[in-house]
Amino acid sequence: MPKQSTARRLFAYALVYKYRISGALLILCCAVGAELGGPFIIKTIIDKHLSAETGDLGPVLGLLALYLGLLLVASIGNFTQSYLLQSTALQIIKNMRMDLMRHIQRIPLRYFDNTPIGQIVSRIANDTEAVRDLFMSFMATFVVSFVQLIGIYTALFILDMRLALFCLLLPPLFALIMYVHLKYSKGYIAVMRARLSDMNAMINESIAVMPIIQAFRREKVTLDEFEVMNEERYVNQIKQFRVFSLSSRNIVGTVGSLVTALVIWYFGRASLEDAILFGVFYAFIDYLGRIFHPIIGIFDQLTNAQRAFVSAEKVFAILDMEGTEVVDADRVARPEGVVKFDNVTFAYKTGEPVLKGISFEARRGETIALVGHTGSGKSSIMNLLLGFYEPDQGVITIDGADISAFSKQALRKHMGIVLQDPYLFAGDIKFNVSLYNKDISIERVKKALQDVGAASFIEQLPGGYDEQVVERGSTLSSGQRQLISFARALAFDPSILILDEATASIDSETEGLIQEALRVVSKGRTTLVIAHRLSTIREADQILVLHRGEIVERGNHETLMALGGRYFKMYQLQKGAETPLSVKT
């Protein structure tokens, strides 16, 4: 299916509210018509009812009342259309932002690996907001201007055909100026939006790693990097404003003054040759002046329109990415939890495999530990099991069923995961455990926290289980955050529990609590553990030793220690003082 243009896709969003938009534009046309009728009424008053031959003011007062009525109708019409258009524009952008947020949930994890968070935030927040101006301001301005120009030229032809024909040269002239304006300013606006996105990404990153920046005294370097982007955006914005200033009000005002002077000269010469009606002269000058207002209005909105189209292209670029549908997994049956990798090969980049022919089986109630140096492929195995990536070769099964046949939600329904870097959401502690899952009661939350040994310190907090946690849980220690993450995984009662270096940031005392809790909660479920601290996996049923993407050793702790291979050396190195000097060499 061919890719639709940005304009067509924006129109598709507007088409949902076609009746509201059409009604607003119809009201707008009526308001414009009421405004355009004013000069004709004043012309009639001047030419017929203020002459010296009549002293009857009745018709004059009637026309004045009609004029005031038209002004009132125009005022009500302008308010109504403005409210309808603005509320509709806000609804359209709300829908677009929700579509974008839904689609982000479907996009594969690879996109987030390679895209700064700040850029994604900019797409959802800033770029959708820029598109709003297209529906809210430009649409109304363009329609008003178009209707006004038709009405004005109709009136000009009624008043004086020859001069009206001359004035027909103005629209093509202004269209040429607009074309030049759009051609030069589009590039500047694209750079401005790109730098704004880059600045948002850098701000997000800087705030997240502020302790590192300050600890390594990188404040000045960070400011210098930000200043380069800020300066580039500023320079392009100045250039865009320069183009706008030269091609909008400035040139329109100059052309308008010249044309007005020509019209005055034309009527002045006609008054010498023959008597002219003063009302016609007034009306023509009035309508001529009105020509330039819609032109200026269109110029003023061109920048917003360009910004909206540039932003819309970025938004639709994300919406065009392939993704998997988020489906309901509430009725997915709980699996036994038998996990099997059969000759699995995987690469993040083509030609650079990080896993090579991985095969193992984890049965229900077993604990499988993955160990190896950094980059050996431990986390990649977990990422494949969770469905974040797809294997290039081989099959991964749960209870004998290929996981590629499951939806991502069904696959992860009965999985629990605890990461090395525990993440807590803004909210209270009980929310961070239950994540608003209606099936997890407060009693279940407390039980999970108690099982992992977190209840003791939580009950000492001022708010207890209702204690508010700021973003990322920065008010709690890393060990406390990790315990809450363990409780979160346990509260969901998974059949497959994944611990990705979950004890790496925990002190020895807390580690003892975790070890005791794991002995209880691992019963009846499959547990896969990634560990650098080999002391935490001594009781694992099977230990897989990975090296450069391959399993080089497997067995329990005693078997591997007796083997005297890579695991034995890793364990001895971690033991430190117990390692003989001859082994270290």
Side-chain angles (χ1 to χ4, degrees):
M1 183 177 178
K3 181 180 176 182
Q4 289 185 323
S5 66
T6 301
R8 282 180 176 271
R9 299 180 73 166
L10 289 172
F11 177 74
Y13 273 97
L15 195 62
V16 177
Y17 301 96
K18 58 184 178 182
Y19 296 113
R20 290 182 64 180
I21 294 176
S22 300
L25 297 181
L26 180 61
I27 293 172
L28 185 57
C29 292
C30 295
V32 171
E35 290 178 351
L36 292 177
F40 265 106
I41 294 176
I42 296 178
K43 168 185 174 297
T44 306
I45 294 174
I46 293 174
D47 289 343
K48 293 186 177 181
H49 299 286
L50 291 183
S51 60
E53 288 81 6
T54 177
D56 186 8
L57 294 179
V60 174
L61 295 176
L63 288 171
L64 287 175
L66 177 60
Y67 179 63
L68 293 175
L70 289 177
L71 292 180
L72 181 61
V73 170
S75 177
I76 296 174
N78 284 326
F79 169 79
T80 304
Q81 65 81 21
S82 178
Y83 175 80
L84 285 176
L85 276 183
Q86 292 197 36
S87 60
T88 304
L90 291 172
Q91 189 72 32
I92 291 172
I93 298 309
K94 186 188 80 169
N95 294 345
M96 181 180 291
R97 189 175 285 126
M98 285 304 303
D99 288 344
L100 187 58
M101 193 65 187
R102 289 191 193 97
H103 193 68
I104 282 178
Q105 313 297 326
R106 307 183 185 112
I107 296 176
L109 203 61
R110 290 179 186 268
Y111 174 73
F112 302 99
D113 290 340
N114 302 316
T115 306
I117 295 175
Q119 287 190 9
I120 303 174
V121 173
S122 182
R123 299 292 175 267
I124 299 174
N126 297 338
D127 288 329
T128 53
E129 198 67 20
V131 175
R132 183 190 65 168
D133 294 332
L134 181 69
F135 295 104
M136 186 178 293
S137 302
F138 182 76
M139 181 184 295
T141 301
F142 182 80
V143 172
V144 168
S145 301
F146 185 73
V147 173
Q148 281 181 329
L149 288 175
I150 292 177
I152 289 169
Y153 272 102
T154 300
L156 291 179
F157 272 97
I158 293 174
L159 294 170
D160 192 295
M161 183 174 293
R162 286 181 299 174
L163 203 55
L165 287 172
F166 172 76
C167 291
L168 280 177
L169 297 175
L170 293 177
L173 173 63
F174 289 131
L176 177 62
I177 296 171
M178 289 180 188
Y179 172 78
V180 175
H181 171 94
L182 293 172
K183 180 180 179 181
Y184 284 96
S185 63
K186 182 179 181 180
Y188 300 139
I189 291 176
V191 174
M192 288 161 52
R193 300 303 298 179
R195 292 295 80 77
L196 178 62
S197 178
D198 293 340
M199 288 162 62
N200 285 337
M202 185 175 181
I203 290 171
N204 183 84
E205 182 185 64
S206 299
I207 293 174
V209 298
M210 188 59 69
I212 302 298
I213 292 175
Q214 294 182 356
F216 287 91
R217 305 178 306 283
R218 302 290 295 175
E219 296 92 340
K220 187 178 185 305
V221 175
T222 303
L223 284 174
D224 291 342
E225 292 177 359
F226 186 82
E227 186 177 8
V228 170
M229 291 184 287
N230 197 26
E231 179 69 19
E232 187 174 358
R233 188 176 192 276
Y234 167 77
V235 169
N236 281 272
Q237 198 163 23
I238 290 296
K239 291 179 180 179
Q240 196 275 328
F241 280 145
R242 190 178 300 152
V243 172
F244 174 78
S245 298
L246 289 174
S247 61
S248 58
R249 292 178 180 270
N250 185 26
I251 196 165
V252 173
T254 302
V255 173
S257 299
L258 292 175
V259 173
T260 302
L262 179 63
V263 171
I264 293 174
W265 171 81
Y266 173 84
F267 277 105
R269 189 189 66 174
S271 66
L272 295 175
E273 297 175 357
D274 194 8
I276 64 169
L277 293 176
F278 182 73
V280 174
F281 174 67
Y282 162 80
F284 201 96
I285 292 294
D286 187 288
Y287 282 117
L288 182 63
R290 290 172 182 253
I291 287 180
F292 304 105
H293 291 298
I295 300 297
I296 291 175
I298 292 176
F299 266 115
D300 288 345
Q301 293 300 325
L302 280 179
T303 300
N304 288 337
Q306 279 190 307
R307 186 184 299 115
F309 271 92
V310 171
S311 298
E313 288 174 358
K314 296 181 181 297
V315 170
F316 291 136
I318 295 180
L319 291 175
D320 286 336
M321 294 180 183
E322 292 187 6
T324 56
E325 291 295 325
V326 177
V327 299
D328 185 10
D330 290 340
R331 298 182 179 179
V332 176
R334 181 185 178 89
E336 289 292 320
V338 180
V339 176
K340 184 177 181 179
F341 276 60
D342 185 8
N343 197 31
V344 172
T345 298
F346 170 70
Y348 292 101
K349 296 182 180 179
T350 304
E352 301 179 14
V354 294
L355 296 177
K356 307 170 188 175
I358 299 296
S359 297
F360 69 88
E361 183 174 4
R363 298 186 177 277
R364 178 182 179 184
E366 289 186 343
T367 297
I368 306 297
L370 305 176
V371 301
H373 296 298
T374 301
S376 59
K378 303 183 299 298
S379 295
S380 298
I381 290 177
M382 300 305 189
N383 287 335
L384 291 176
L385 179 59
L386 286 162
F388 292 146
Y389 301 93
E390 301 295 333
D392 299 324
Q393 296 178 11
V395 178
I396 305 172
T397 62
I398 295 179
D399 296 350
D402 190 342
I403 65 171
S404 62
F406 301 159
S407 69
K408 301 305 180 185
Q409 290 66 44
L411 174 63
R412 301 164 190 158
K413 167 69 174 176
H414 296 287
M415 286 187 185
I417 183 170
V418 180
L419 302 174
Q420 178 181 3
D421 184 17
Y423 190 94
L424 299 186
F425 299 91
D428 57 34
I429 289 178
K430 64 177 184 295
F431 155 70
N432 270 282
V433 175
S434 67
L435 298 182
Y436 288 141
N437 188 319
K438 61 184 179 180
D439 296 328
I440 299 178
S441 64
I442 184 62
E443 290 76 18
R444 189 166 162 184
V445 169
K446 293 180 179 180
K447 181 67 167 57
L449 289 167
Q450 185 177 6
D451 287 343
V452 300
S456 57
F457 83 82
I458 290 176
E459 291 172 355
Q460 294 176 5
L461 296 173
Y465 296 96
D466 296 319
E467 179 76 11
Q468 291 295 313
V469 178
V470 299
E471 186 177 5
R472 299 186 66 87
S474 58
T475 57
L476 300 173
S477 69
S478 59
Q480 290 172 335
R481 294 198 301 271
Q482 194 66 280
L483 288 173
I484 295 174
S485 297
F486 266 96
R488 177 193 300 160
L490 300 179
F492 280 80
D493 190 24
S495 60
I496 301 172
L497 180 62
I498 299 172
L499 308 178
D500 191 351
E501 301 182 27
T503 59
S505 60
I506 291 177
D507 56 70
S508 299
E509 182 180 354
T510 306
E511 180 184 334
L513 294 174
I514 293 294
Q515 290 292 96
E516 184 62 30
L518 287 178
R519 290 189 185 96
V520 176
V521 300
S522 61
K523 292 181 179 179
R525 60 169 53 90
T526 306
T527 305
L528 289 91
V529 183
I530 294 177
H532 280 305
R533 297 167 65 170
L534 303 184
S535 60
T536 62
I537 57 161
R538 291 187 58 172
E539 297 184 11
D541 297 287
Q542 185 177 187
I543 300 173
L544 306 178
V545 183
L546 285 95
H547 179 63
R548 295 183 178 179
E550 297 180 288
I551 299 176
V552 294
E553 296 176 9
R554 68 177 74 204
N556 59 25
H557 175 76
E558 289 75 17
T559 301
L560 294 178
M561 289 297 291
L563 186 64
R566 185 172 294 275
Y567 178 83
F568 173 81
K569 293 179 181 179
M570 291 171 60
Y571 190 83
Q572 292 293 81
L573 285 172
Q574 288 193 9
K575 295 294 286 184
E578 299 177 9
T579 305
L581 292 176
S582 59
V583 175
K584 292 183 179 180
T585 58

